[in-house]
Amino acid sequence: MIEPPAGGAPTLASRLDAVVPLAALVNGSLRVLGGVPSAAVGLIAWWARRRASGHVLVIATDPETVYADARLWGGEARLGLWPAADTPGFDRIPPSEEVIRRRIATLALLRDGEPALVVASPAGLLRPTLPTGALDSTGELGRGTRIGRDAVIERLVRLGYRRVTAVTSPGEMAVRGGIVDVFGLDRGRPWRAEWFGDEVDEIRAFDVDTQTSVARLERVRMLPARELDLSPEAVRRAQEVVAGLDVGGCRPEVREQWQQDLAQLELGVYDDGVDLFAPYLNQGSSLFDHLGKGALVLVAGGVERARRAAVRHLEEIEGLRDQEEARGELPAGARSGLLDVGVLDANLGRAVDLVPGDVEGTAGAAAADLGWRGAEPYAGRWDAFAAALGQELAGGGCCLVVSRQEGRVQELTGDAGLVSTMVDDPDAATLAAVAGALLVTAGEVSAGFRLPDLGIAVFSDHELFGAVKRRGSPLARGARRAESTSARGARRAAAGRAAAPGFVLEFAPGDLVVHRDHGV
């Protein structure tokens, strides 16, 4: 057993601090860490961010699951999610609002400088993003700031805000005299700034429906509204490349729409059609540029698995691009809007594989094995669980049950003669992991797992109650589907995404789906 730190009971974090393979994980001496169940990746990632000197990137084929697990152990502070876009880069339809919000929030998080944890999908890493300098024009606007209204409007235009009569959705701005309304992606409500001369006099959050103020704000952030580089330099560069594309093979209505979209691009102002030129506006910048050279890169399931997922996504998008060109929907030689897989290869050489199996002897001194494993299933066998748990606790073990049915867990363990303690917050930095303790907390973790070297076990609803439907995700459901005015966009909105794996379907696990033979 590990001795408690001086001054108090050991926490889950302090227990992890004493694990030698984990220390090697952050000091750069490891390339493979075995004995890592998939449900434990989030905990290890959270701990690594806490101990590493720089940013931590976790690459996972199921990034939302790892993100949710990491959030359980440390909250959302300094935690970012980098999903794949749910539309191809050559489409007039922009990615969903939730995808854009997550990706831009992550860029802002990394720009703050303090070490952050980012969970990314392999496909998401292939989608180009804003260059690091693009966020230099962001910043805060505060009451009393001396800056002209027109200067703020110009900045918002470059950040991709669409100018409308009245804001109703994130990414929009409206101007009326000395008043500017802005609906940023980082807020649930828009804010309104009023000027007195060249000084910001008031900033207030307001309700979209009633237009009435609901709160007075001291400062607001001006983050990009789109993942598009609309700087004058980027627009000129895109125009030069696009001018060399041959639209002669496109259908007449596509050529007409192309010219209209090109005219919008020339204005350097975001509106319908500008997303079509994303492959030419965002040239080569990736998430790795924002992470910096000192980032710790962890790959859940191993580098080869992540690379295969990225290659599949690249081939699918390239194949879809070829089909669209053959149909006369795209100019000859139009770009797919994805980076080459070489961008991944160049950055995965320093990555650490997190794999569930035994890695003894597979990578020499660059490998270590935690020996962690998944928790045993007890669904429908509560008496067996209580008996096994009682023996474990009597032997000095510590057990944490993470459940959405925490009240039921406490009742059942009490009926079995076990004493449990309800924990309000499972934050691993403060969670007391003492010998013989049975802790119950409200929450959700993807699965349970055991840390035999620490005498700690984590159980979830999955092990105790069987298959449990997880809460729906805005990313998985496609929080917003934009409508395209082009024939290509309309057809792809109806069928294209279903044809290309990785795109958002019109239903997701957890939805009610009517089967023609079996009903609901």
Side-chain angles (χ1 to χ4, degrees):
M1 297 292 291
I2 296 175
E3 291 298 322
T11 64
L12 179 54
S14 67
R15 291 288 196 95
L16 295 176
D17 290 343
V19 177
V20 174
L22 290 183
L25 179 72
V26 297
N27 68 22
S29 60
L30 274 187
R31 284 296 171 264
V32 182
L33 182 62
V36 181
S38 60
V41 171
L43 176 62
I44 291 175
W46 169 86
W47 180 89
R49 197 277 303 166
R50 180 172 171 267
R51 301 292 290 185
S53 58
H55 300 308
V56 176
L57 170 67
V58 179
I59 303 174
T61 54
D62 53 348
E64 286 190 79
T65 297
V66 175
Y67 174 90
D69 288 346
R71 181 178 57 193
L72 172 78
W73 302 113
E76 291 187 302
R78 311 306 303 165
L79 177 62
L81 178 62
W82 192 257
D86 48 6
T87 56
F90 53 79
D91 206 325
R92 294 183 77 249
I93 301 176
S96 66
E97 178 186 301
E98 184 69 8
V99 167
I100 297 173
R101 185 181 71 82
R102 290 285 189 177
R103 288 172 66 98
I104 289 178
T106 297
L107 296 182
L109 182 68
L110 295 175
R111 188 174 182 270
D112 289 344
E114 185 181 342
L117 168 60
V118 176
V119 185
S121 74
L125 292 170
L126 292 182
R127 180 87 171 208
T129 188
L130 296 168
T132 54
L135 270 70
D136 292 344
S137 60
T138 63
E140 292 187 336
L141 188 68
R143 289 198 318 116
T145 302
R146 295 194 64 83
I147 182 172
R149 186 211 65 163
D150 292 346
V152 171
I153 293 172
E154 181 179 356
R155 181 182 298 183
L156 292 169
V157 168
R158 297 305 177 212
L159 292 175
Y161 286 84
R162 185 204 305 263
R163 190 161 178 172
V164 295
T165 303
V167 299
T168 57
S169 302
E172 295 179 341
M173 58 174 286
V175 180
R176 300 185 310 282
I179 298 175
V180 177
D181 292 347
V182 179
F183 204 150
L185 273 64
D186 61 331
R187 289 182 170 273
R189 296 181 186 273
W191 49 267
R192 174 172 295 150
E194 299 184 36
W195 270 259
F196 183 78
D198 283 340
E199 182 176 300
V200 179
D201 187 49
E202 288 283 352
I203 305 177
R204 294 181 180 272
F206 67 93
D207 184 84
V208 170
D209 296 325
T210 65
Q211 293 291 302
T212 57
S213 298
V214 295
R216 186 177 183 181
L217 306 174
E218 291 297 321
R219 310 190 74 80
V220 290
R221 300 183 72 182
M222 291 189 292
L223 295 178
R226 317 286 169 185
E227 203 177 1
L228 293 172
D229 185 0
L230 293 175
S231 66
E233 299 78 11
V235 171
R236 283 196 296 270
R237 185 175 61 238
Q239 286 178 288
E240 292 173 359
V241 177
V242 171
L245 297 178
D246 181 12
V247 296
C250 293
R251 296 186 297 106
E253 61 269 29
V254 173
R255 290 198 301 270
E256 180 180 355
Q257 184 66 66
W258 181 272
Q259 294 302 322
Q260 294 176 10
D261 294 338
L262 187 57
Q264 187 63 44
L265 172 66
E266 292 173 354
L267 297 175
V269 177
Y270 183 81
D271 211 332
D272 291 335
V274 173
D275 289 278
L276 179 66
F277 304 105
Y280 315 99
L281 291 167
N282 297 344
Q283 292 196 348
S285 295
S286 74
L287 178 65
F288 292 106
D289 297 320
H290 293 263
L291 287 163
K293 297 296 184 182
L296 173 63
V297 181
L298 311 176
V299 187
V303 167
E304 288 305 314
R305 179 187 179 191
R307 192 181 189 280
R308 286 195 301 270
V311 169
R312 284 196 301 270
H313 180 71
L314 181 61
E315 291 174 347
E316 290 161 1
I317 296 299
E318 290 285 0
L320 183 58
R321 192 216 66 83
D322 292 344
Q323 292 177 18
E324 295 297 271
E325 181 180 322
R327 294 170 180 166
E329 304 283 1
L330 284 176
R335 295 175 179 174
S336 69
L338 293 182
L339 300 169
D340 187 85
V341 75
V343 172
L344 271 182
D345 294 336
N347 289 278
L348 292 182
R350 56 192 170 103
V352 181
D353 288 357
L354 303 181
V355 295
D358 184 357
V359 297
E360 184 177 355
T362 61
D369 199 314
L370 285 174
W372 297 0
R373 64 179 186 272
E376 305 84 359
Y378 285 99
R381 300 186 301 123
W382 190 268
D383 290 342
F385 171 70
L389 183 58
Q391 292 181 0
E392 192 169 336
L393 297 175
C398 176
C399 178
L400 171 66
V401 178
V402 182
S403 175
R404 287 160 55 186
Q405 304 181 59
E406 68 279 6
R408 184 182 178 195
V409 170
Q410 281 205 302
E411 180 182 350
L412 290 172
T413 53
D415 291 344
L418 300 175
V419 178
S420 61
T421 301
M422 190 66 188
V423 178
D424 293 333
D425 186 358
D427 188 334
T430 58
L431 184 68
V434 298
L438 171 57
L439 309 174
V440 180
T441 187
E444 189 173 14
V445 66
S446 58
F449 53 92
R450 285 188 173 277
L451 291 61
D453 54 332
L454 302 181
I456 297 174
V458 176
F459 284 90
S460 72
D461 285 334
H462 180 76
E463 291 79 38
L464 300 185
F465 303 115
V468 178
K469 183 177 71 172
R470 302 199 74 181
R471 291 184 173 90
S473 161
L475 285 171
R477 295 175 183 273
R480 180 182 59 84
R481 294 291 83 217
E483 294 296 331
S484 173
T485 55
S486 71
R488 181 186 72 253
R491 183 161 60 251
R492 188 176 297 114
R497 295 187 191 87
F503 292 162
V504 173
L505 299 176
E506 294 305 317
F507 58 88
D511 288 344
L512 292 178
V513 180
V514 178
H515 191 279
R516 65 181 181 181
D517 297 322
H518 306 297
V520 176

